[in-house]
Amino acid sequence: MTEKRGRCLCGAVTFRYEGPENWRAFCHCESCRRQTSSPVTAFVGVPRTAAEVVGETLAAYESSPGVRRSFCSRCGSPIAYESDRWPDEIHFYTAALEDPEQAPPEYHVHFAEHLSWLKIDDGLERHPRSGQ
């Protein structure tokens, strides 16, 4: 099986998962933009049973009811998104992977919230909301 690994900026938190991702996508929602201070972010959704987070205990922020955004309590790097809507999945930030090139996004979600000045000409499908 293929194993992928990732970590926070300072290395205090690492994560890994085995097997293929359930999905890979860009997210344009305002909450993700504010959490990452970037115009767009990318995630991989993986089965919770295939994932492991080790090292420092993650800090978490409940950005809305049933949604937790986890980050390293030492350096602040965003690590994961978890939602009661998808209890069997954990969503890792693609850019936190050791090799993000191995997990290119397949589509865009929450494109209705995208920033008009960000032009991405990748030909990928765009979903106005979640897409799942």
Side-chain angles (χ1 to χ4, degrees):
M1 286 227 134
T2 303
E3 179 180 273
K4 291 187 181 141
R5 296 177 172 271
R7 66 176 179 84
C8 65
L9 178 63
C10 72
V13 174
T14 62
F15 65 89
R16 64 176 213 63
Y17 62 90
E18 286 195 50
E21 299 89 5
N22 293 344
W23 54 268
R24 301 184 309 259
F26 287 111
C27 184
H28 295 267
C29 81
E30 181 183 4
S31 294
C32 283
R33 289 198 317 264
R34 290 195 182 279
Q35 190 205 12
T36 62
S37 294
S38 61
V40 65
T41 195
F43 287 101
V44 295
V46 301
R48 188 174 298 281
T49 56
E52 179 182 30
V53 178
V54 297
E56 292 283 321
T57 301
L58 288 173
Y61 173 69
E62 188 171 6
S63 58
S64 56
V67 172
R68 293 158 306 286
R69 296 171 180 273
S70 301
F71 54 95
C72 174
S73 60
R74 186 179 296 171
C75 69
S77 295
I79 298 293
Y81 171 99
E82 298 173 83
S83 173
D84 293 348
R85 183 173 174 190
W86 300 290
D88 298 327
E89 281 188 355
I90 185 166
H91 306 166
F92 291 116
Y93 289 87
T94 306
L97 289 169
E98 286 178 355
D99 187 3
E101 293 286 344
Q102 291 186 4
E106 301 167 311
Y107 54 90
H108 295 259
V109 296
H110 295 285
F111 198 74
E113 298 180 47
H114 83 282
L115 296 172
S116 63
W117 50 261
L118 180 65
K119 307 297 183 203
I120 299 176
D121 186 22
D122 58 14
L124 297 178
E125 188 174 349
R126 285 138 164 73
H127 297 274
R129 285 176 275 299
S130 126
Q132 287 189 338

